[in-house]
Amino acid sequence: MKVFIYILIALTSLLAIFNATQLDFDNLTEGNSVVALICTLAALCALCILLIFNTAKSIEQKTRQR
């Protein structure tokens, strides 16, 4: 499970970076730039959720060892 989480973290990071390169900062609200902006924000939200889940799993393992 831990390896799967790390793979998902890497994939979402790559997706956020790729979509950030697709942004046109001169026209953020037009054309493909809007889609890239939404996808970048969604990828960053997914990354935050995965990091929170990973932290919760590590806390759970530490409390079980006691």
Coordinates of all heavy atoms in Angstrom, one line a residue:
M1 N 0.8 -1.2 0.0 CA 0.0 0.0 0.0 C 0.9 1.3 0.0 O 0.5 2.2 -0.7 CB -0.9 0.0 1.2 CG -1.9 1.1 1.3 SD -3.2 0.9 0.1 CE -4.3 2.2 0.6
K2 N 2.0 1.2 0.7 CA 2.9 2.4 0.9 C 3.5 2.7 -0.5 O 3.6 3.9 -0.9 CB 3.9 2.1 1.9 CG 4.6 3.3 2.4 CD 5.5 2.9 3.6 CE 5.9 4.2 4.3 NZ 6.7 3.9 5.5
V3 N 3.9 1.7 -1.2 CA 4.5 1.9 -2.5 C 3.5 2.5 -3.5 O 3.8 3.4 -4.3 CB 5.1 0.6 -3.1 CG1 5.6 0.8 -4.5 CG2 6.2 0.1 -2.2
F4 N 2.2 2.0 -3.4 CA 1.2 2.5 -4.3 C 0.9 4.0 -4.0 O 0.7 4.8 -5.0 CB -0.1 1.7 -4.1 CG -1.2 2.1 -4.9 CD1 -1.2 1.9 -6.3 CD2 -2.4 2.6 -4.4 CE1 -2.3 2.3 -7.1 CE2 -3.5 3.0 -5.1 CZ -3.4 2.8 -6.5
I5 N 0.9 4.4 -2.8 CA 0.7 5.8 -2.4 C 1.9 6.7 -3.0 O 1.6 7.7 -3.5 CB 0.6 6.0 -0.9 CG1 -0.6 5.2 -0.3 CG2 0.6 7.5 -0.5 CD1 -1.9 5.8 -0.8
Y6 N 3.1 6.2 -2.9 CA 4.2 6.9 -3.4 C 4.2 7.0 -4.9 O 4.5 8.1 -5.5 CB 5.6 6.3 -3.0 CG 5.9 6.5 -1.5 CD1 6.3 5.5 -0.7 CD2 5.7 7.8 -1.0 CE1 6.6 5.7 0.6 CE2 6.0 8.0 0.4 CZ 6.5 7.0 1.2 OH 6.7 7.2 2.5
I7 N 3.7 6.0 -5.6 CA 3.5 6.0 -7.1 C 2.4 7.1 -7.4 O 2.6 7.9 -8.3 CB 3.2 4.7 -7.6 CG1 4.4 3.7 -7.5 CG2 2.7 4.7 -9.1 CD1 4.1 2.3 -7.8
L8 N 1.3 7.1 -6.7 CA 0.3 8.1 -6.9 C 0.8 9.5 -6.7 O 0.4 10.4 -7.4 CB -0.9 7.8 -6.1 CG -1.8 6.6 -6.5 CD1 -2.9 6.4 -5.5 CD2 -2.3 6.8 -7.9
I9 N 1.6 9.7 -5.6 CA 2.1 11.0 -5.3 C 3.0 11.5 -6.5 O 3.0 12.6 -6.9 CB 2.9 11.0 -4.0 CG1 1.9 10.9 -2.8 CG2 3.8 12.2 -3.8 CD1 2.6 10.6 -1.5
A10 N 3.8 10.6 -7.0 CA 4.7 10.9 -8.1 C 3.9 11.3 -9.4 O 4.2 12.2 -10.1 CB 5.7 9.8 -8.4
L11 N 2.9 10.5 -9.7 CA 2.0 10.7 -10.8 C 1.3 12.0 -10.7 O 1.2 12.8 -11.7 CB 1.0 9.6 -11.0 CG 1.7 8.3 -11.6 CD1 0.6 7.2 -11.6 CD2 2.3 8.5 -12.9
T12 N 0.7 12.3 -9.6 CA 0.0 13.6 -9.4 C 1.0 14.8 -9.5 O 0.6 15.8 -10.0 CB -0.8 13.7 -8.1 OG1 0.1 13.4 -7.0 CG2 -1.9 12.7 -8.1
S13 N 2.2 14.6 -9.0 CA 3.2 15.7 -9.1 C 3.5 16.0 -10.6 O 3.6 17.1 -11.0 CB 4.4 15.3 -8.3 OG 4.1 15.2 -7.0
L14 N 3.7 14.9 -11.3 CA 4.0 15.0 -12.7 C 2.9 15.6 -13.5 O 3.1 16.5 -14.4 CB 4.4 13.7 -13.3 CG 5.7 13.1 -12.9 CD1 5.9 11.7 -13.4 CD2 6.9 14.0 -13.3
L15 N 1.7 15.3 -13.1 CA 0.5 15.8 -13.8 C 0.3 17.3 -13.5 O 0.0 18.1 -14.4 CB -0.8 15.1 -13.3 CG -2.1 15.4 -14.0 CD1 -2.0 15.0 -15.5 CD2 -3.2 14.7 -13.4
A16 N 0.6 17.7 -12.3 CA 0.5 19.1 -11.9 C 1.6 19.9 -12.7 O 1.3 21.0 -13.2 CB 0.7 19.3 -10.4
I17 N 2.8 19.4 -12.8 CA 3.9 20.1 -13.5 C 3.6 20.2 -15.0 O 3.8 21.2 -15.6 CB 5.2 19.3 -13.2 CG1 5.6 19.5 -11.8 CG2 6.3 19.9 -14.2 CD1 6.8 18.6 -11.4
F18 N 3.1 19.1 -15.6 CA 2.7 19.1 -17.0 C 1.7 20.1 -17.3 O 1.8 20.9 -18.2 CB 2.3 17.7 -17.4 CG 1.7 17.7 -18.8 CD1 2.6 17.8 -19.9 CD2 0.4 17.6 -19.1 CE1 2.1 17.8 -21.2 CE2 -0.1 17.7 -20.4 CZ 0.8 17.8 -21.4
N19 N 0.6 20.2 -16.5 CA -0.5 21.1 -16.7 C 0.0 22.6 -16.4 O -0.5 23.5 -17.1 CB -1.7 20.8 -15.8 CG -2.4 19.6 -16.4 OD1 -2.6 19.5 -17.6 ND2 -2.9 18.7 -15.5
A20 N 0.9 22.7 -15.5 CA 1.4 24.1 -15.3 C 2.2 24.6 -16.5 O 2.3 25.8 -16.7 CB 2.3 24.1 -14.0
T21 N 2.9 23.7 -17.2 CA 3.6 24.1 -18.4 C 2.7 24.5 -19.5 O 3.1 25.2 -20.5 CB 4.6 23.0 -18.9 OG1 3.8 21.9 -19.3 CG2 5.6 22.7 -17.8
Q22 N 1.4 24.0 -19.5 CA 0.5 24.3 -20.5 C -0.3 25.7 -20.3 O -1.0 26.1 -21.2 CB -0.6 23.2 -20.6 CG -0.1 21.8 -20.9 CD 0.6 21.8 -22.2 OE1 0.1 22.2 -23.2 NE2 1.8 21.2 -22.3
L23 N 0.0 26.3 -19.2 CA -0.7 27.6 -18.9 C -0.1 28.7 -19.8 O 1.1 28.8 -20.0 CB -0.5 28.0 -17.5 CG -1.2 27.1 -16.4 CD1 -0.8 27.5 -15.0 CD2 -2.7 27.2 -16.6
D24 N -1.0 29.6 -20.3 CA -0.6 30.8 -21.0 C -0.9 31.9 -20.0 O -2.1 32.3 -19.8 CB -1.4 30.9 -22.3 CG -1.1 32.2 -23.0 OD1 0.0 32.8 -22.8 OD2 -1.9 32.6 -23.9
F25 N 0.1 32.5 -19.4 CA -0.1 33.5 -18.4 C -0.6 34.8 -18.9 O -1.1 35.7 -18.1 CB 1.2 33.7 -17.6 CG 1.6 32.5 -16.7 CD1 2.6 31.6 -17.1 CD2 0.9 32.2 -15.6 CE1 2.9 30.5 -16.4 CE2 1.2 31.1 -14.8 CZ 2.2 30.3 -15.2
D26 N -0.5 35.0 -20.2 CA -1.1 36.2 -20.8 C -2.6 36.2 -20.9 O -3.3 37.2 -20.7 CB -0.5 36.5 -22.2 CG 1.0 36.9 -22.1 OD1 1.4 37.4 -21.1 OD2 1.7 36.6 -23.1
N27 N -3.1 34.9 -21.1 CA -4.6 34.7 -21.2 C -5.0 33.5 -20.4 O -5.2 32.4 -20.9 CB -5.0 34.5 -22.7 CG -4.7 35.7 -23.6 OD1 -4.9 36.8 -23.2 ND2 -4.1 35.4 -24.7
L28 N -5.0 33.7 -19.1 CA -5.4 32.6 -18.2 C -6.8 32.1 -18.3 O -7.1 31.0 -18.0 CB -5.1 33.0 -16.7 CG -3.7 32.7 -16.3 CD1 -3.5 33.2 -14.8 CD2 -3.3 31.3 -16.4
T29 N -7.7 33.0 -18.7 CA -9.1 32.7 -18.7 C -9.6 32.4 -20.1 O -10.8 32.4 -20.4 CB -9.9 33.8 -18.2 OG1 -9.7 35.0 -18.9 CG2 -9.6 34.1 -16.7
E30 N -8.7 32.0 -21.1 CA -9.2 31.7 -22.4 C -8.6 30.4 -22.9 O -7.4 30.1 -22.6 CB -8.7 32.9 -23.4 CG -9.4 34.2 -23.1 CD -8.9 35.3 -24.0 OE1 -8.2 35.0 -25.0 OE2 -9.3 36.4 -23.8
G31 N -9.4 29.7 -23.7 CA -8.9 28.5 -24.4 C -8.5 27.4 -23.5 O -9.0 27.1 -22.4
N32 N -7.4 26.8 -23.9 CA -6.8 25.6 -23.2 C -6.2 26.0 -21.8 O -6.0 25.1 -21.0 CB -5.8 24.9 -24.0 CG -6.4 24.2 -25.2 OD1 -7.6 23.9 -25.2 ND2 -5.6 24.0 -26.3
S33 N -5.9 27.2 -21.6 CA -5.3 27.7 -20.4 C -6.3 27.5 -19.2 O -5.8 27.2 -18.1 CB -4.9 29.1 -20.5 OG -4.1 29.5 -19.4
V34 N -7.5 27.6 -19.4 CA -8.5 27.4 -18.4 C -8.5 25.9 -17.9 O -8.5 25.6 -16.7 CB -9.9 27.9 -18.8 CG1 -11.0 27.5 -17.8 CG2 -10.0 29.3 -19.0
V35 N -8.5 25.1 -18.9 CA -8.5 23.6 -18.6 C -7.2 23.2 -17.9 O -7.3 22.5 -16.9 CB -8.6 22.8 -20.0 CG1 -8.5 21.3 -19.7 CG2 -10.0 23.1 -20.6
A36 N -6.1 23.8 -18.3 CA -4.8 23.5 -17.7 C -4.8 24.0 -16.3 O -4.3 23.4 -15.4 CB -3.7 24.1 -18.5
L37 N -5.4 25.2 -16.0 CA -5.5 25.8 -14.7 C -6.3 24.9 -13.8 O -5.9 24.6 -12.6 CB -6.0 27.2 -14.8 CG -6.1 27.9 -13.4 CD1 -4.7 28.2 -12.9 CD2 -6.8 29.3 -13.7
I38 N -7.5 24.5 -14.2 CA -8.3 23.6 -13.4 C -7.7 22.3 -13.1 O -7.7 21.8 -12.0 CB -9.7 23.4 -14.2 CG1 -10.5 24.8 -14.2 CG2 -10.5 22.3 -13.5 CD1 -11.7 24.7 -15.1
C39 N -7.0 21.7 -14.1 CA -6.4 20.4 -13.9 C -5.2 20.5 -13.0 O -4.9 19.6 -12.2 CB -5.9 19.8 -15.3 SG -7.3 19.3 -16.3
T40 N -4.5 21.7 -13.1 CA -3.3 21.9 -12.1 C -3.8 22.0 -10.7 O -3.3 21.4 -9.8 CB -2.6 23.2 -12.5 OG1 -2.1 23.0 -13.9 CG2 -1.4 23.4 -11.6
L41 N -4.9 22.7 -10.5 CA -5.5 22.9 -9.2 C -6.0 21.5 -8.6 O -5.8 21.2 -7.5 CB -6.5 23.9 -9.1 CG -6.1 25.4 -9.3 CD1 -7.2 26.3 -9.4 CD2 -5.1 25.8 -8.2
A42 N -6.6 20.8 -9.5 CA -7.2 19.5 -9.1 C -6.0 18.5 -8.8 O -6.1 17.8 -7.8 CB -8.0 18.9 -10.2
A43 N -5.0 18.5 -9.5 CA -3.8 17.7 -9.2 C -3.2 18.1 -7.9 O -2.7 17.2 -7.1 CB -2.8 17.7 -10.3
L44 N -3.1 19.4 -7.6 CA -2.5 19.8 -6.4 C -3.4 19.4 -5.2 O -2.9 19.1 -4.1 CB -2.3 21.3 -6.4 CG -1.1 21.8 -7.3 CD1 -1.1 23.3 -7.4 CD2 0.2 21.2 -6.9
C45 N -4.7 19.5 -5.4 CA -5.6 19.0 -4.3 C -5.5 17.5 -4.1 O -5.5 17.1 -2.9 CB -7.1 19.4 -4.7 SG -7.5 21.1 -4.6
A46 N -5.4 16.8 -5.1 CA -5.2 15.3 -5.0 C -3.8 15.0 -4.3 O -3.7 14.1 -3.5 CB -5.2 14.7 -6.4
L47 N -2.8 15.8 -4.6 CA -1.5 15.6 -4.0 C -1.6 15.9 -2.5 O -1.1 15.2 -1.7 CB -0.5 16.6 -4.6 CG 0.9 16.5 -4.1 CD1 1.5 15.1 -4.4 CD2 1.8 17.6 -4.8
C48 N -2.3 17.0 -2.1 CA -2.5 17.3 -0.7 C -3.3 16.1 0.0 O -2.9 15.7 1.2 CB -3.3 18.6 -0.5 SG -2.3 20.0 -0.9
I49 N -4.3 15.6 -0.6 CA -5.0 14.5 0.0 C -4.2 13.3 0.2 O -4.2 12.6 1.2 CB -6.3 14.2 -0.8 CG1 -7.3 15.3 -0.7 CG2 -6.9 12.9 -0.4 CD1 -8.4 15.3 -1.7
L50 N -3.3 13.0 -0.8 CA -2.5 11.8 -0.7 C -1.4 12.0 0.4 O -1.1 11.0 1.1 CB -1.8 11.5 -2.0 CG -2.6 10.9 -3.1 CD1 -1.9 11.0 -4.5 CD2 -3.0 9.5 -2.8
L51 N -0.9 13.2 0.5 CA 0.1 13.5 1.6 C -0.6 13.4 3.0 O 0.1 12.8 3.9 CB 0.7 14.8 1.4 CG 1.7 14.9 0.2 CD1 2.1 16.4 0.0 CD2 2.8 14.0 0.3
I52 N -1.8 13.8 3.1 CA -2.5 13.7 4.4 C -2.8 12.3 4.7 O -2.6 11.8 5.8 CB -3.8 14.5 4.3 CG1 -3.5 16.0 4.3 CG2 -4.7 14.2 5.5 CD1 -4.7 16.9 4.0
F53 N -3.2 11.5 3.7 CA -3.4 10.1 3.9 C -2.2 9.3 4.3 O -2.2 8.5 5.2 CB -4.0 9.5 2.6 CG -4.3 8.0 2.7 CD1 -5.4 7.6 3.4 CD2 -3.6 7.1 2.0 CE1 -5.7 6.2 3.5 CE2 -3.9 5.7 2.1 CZ -5.0 5.3 2.9
N54 N -1.0 9.7 3.7 CA 0.2 9.1 4.0 C 0.6 9.4 5.4 O 1.1 8.5 6.2 CB 1.3 9.5 3.0 CG 2.6 8.7 3.1 OD1 2.5 7.6 3.6 ND2 3.6 9.3 2.6
T55 N 0.4 10.6 5.9 CA 0.8 11.0 7.2 C -0.1 10.3 8.2 O 0.3 9.8 9.3 CB 0.6 12.5 7.4 OG1 1.4 13.2 6.4 CG2 1.0 13.0 8.8
A56 N -1.4 10.1 7.9 CA -2.4 9.4 8.8 C -2.0 8.0 8.9 O -2.1 7.4 10.0 CB -3.8 9.6 8.2
K57 N -1.5 7.4 7.8 CA -1.1 5.9 7.9 C 0.1 5.8 8.8 O 0.2 4.8 9.5 CB -0.9 5.4 6.5 CG -2.1 5.1 5.7 CD -2.8 3.9 6.4 CE -4.0 3.5 5.6 NZ -4.8 2.5 6.3
S58 N 1.1 6.7 8.7 CA 2.3 6.6 9.5 C 1.9 6.8 11.0 O 2.5 6.1 11.8 CB 3.3 7.6 9.0 OG 2.9 8.9 9.2
I59 N 1.0 7.7 11.3 CA 0.6 7.9 12.7 C -0.1 6.7 13.2 O 0.1 6.2 14.3 CB -0.3 9.2 12.8 CG1 0.5 10.4 12.5 CG2 -1.0 9.2 14.1 CD1 -0.3 11.7 12.4
E60 N -0.9 6.1 12.3 CA -1.6 4.9 12.7 C -0.7 3.7 13.0 O -0.9 3.0 14.0 CB -2.6 4.4 11.6 CG -3.4 3.2 11.9 CD -4.3 2.8 10.8 OE1 -4.2 3.4 9.7 OE2 -5.1 1.8 11.0
Q61 N 0.4 3.6 12.2 CA 1.4 2.5 12.5 C 2.1 2.8 13.8 O 2.4 1.8 14.5 CB 2.3 2.4 11.3 CG 1.7 1.8 10.1 CD 2.7 1.8 8.9 OE1 3.8 2.4 9.0 NE2 2.3 1.2 7.8
K62 N 2.4 4.0 14.1 CA 3.2 4.3 15.3 C 2.3 4.1 16.5 O 2.8 3.7 17.6 CB 3.6 5.8 15.3 CG 4.8 6.0 14.3 CD 5.3 7.4 14.3 CE 6.4 7.6 13.3 NZ 6.9 8.9 13.2
T63 N 1.0 4.4 16.5 CA 0.1 4.1 17.6 C -0.1 2.6 17.8 O -0.4 2.2 18.9 CB -1.2 4.9 17.5 OG1 -1.8 4.5 16.3 CG2 -1.0 6.4 17.5
R64 N -0.1 1.9 16.8 CA -0.3 0.4 16.9 C 0.9 -0.2 17.5 O 0.8 -1.3 18.2 CB -0.5 -0.2 15.5 CG -1.9 0.0 15.0 CD -2.1 -0.8 13.8 NE -3.4 -0.6 13.3 CZ -3.9 -1.2 12.2 NH1 -3.1 -1.9 11.4 NH2 -5.1 -0.9 11.8
Q65 N 2.1 0.3 17.4 CA 3.3 -0.3 17.9 C 3.4 -0.1 19.4 O 4.1 -0.8 20.1 CB 4.6 0.4 17.3 CG 4.8 0.0 15.9 CD 5.9 0.7 15.2 OE1 6.5 1.6 15.9 NE2 6.3 0.3 14.0
R66 N 2.7 0.8 20.0 CA 2.7 1.0 21.4 C 1.9 0.0 22.1 O 1.6 -0.8 22.6 CB 2.0 2.3 21.8 CG 3.0 3.5 21.4 CD 2.4 4.8 21.9 NE 3.3 5.8 21.7 CZ 3.1 7.0 22.1 NH1 2.0 7.4 22.6 NH2 4.1 7.9 21.9

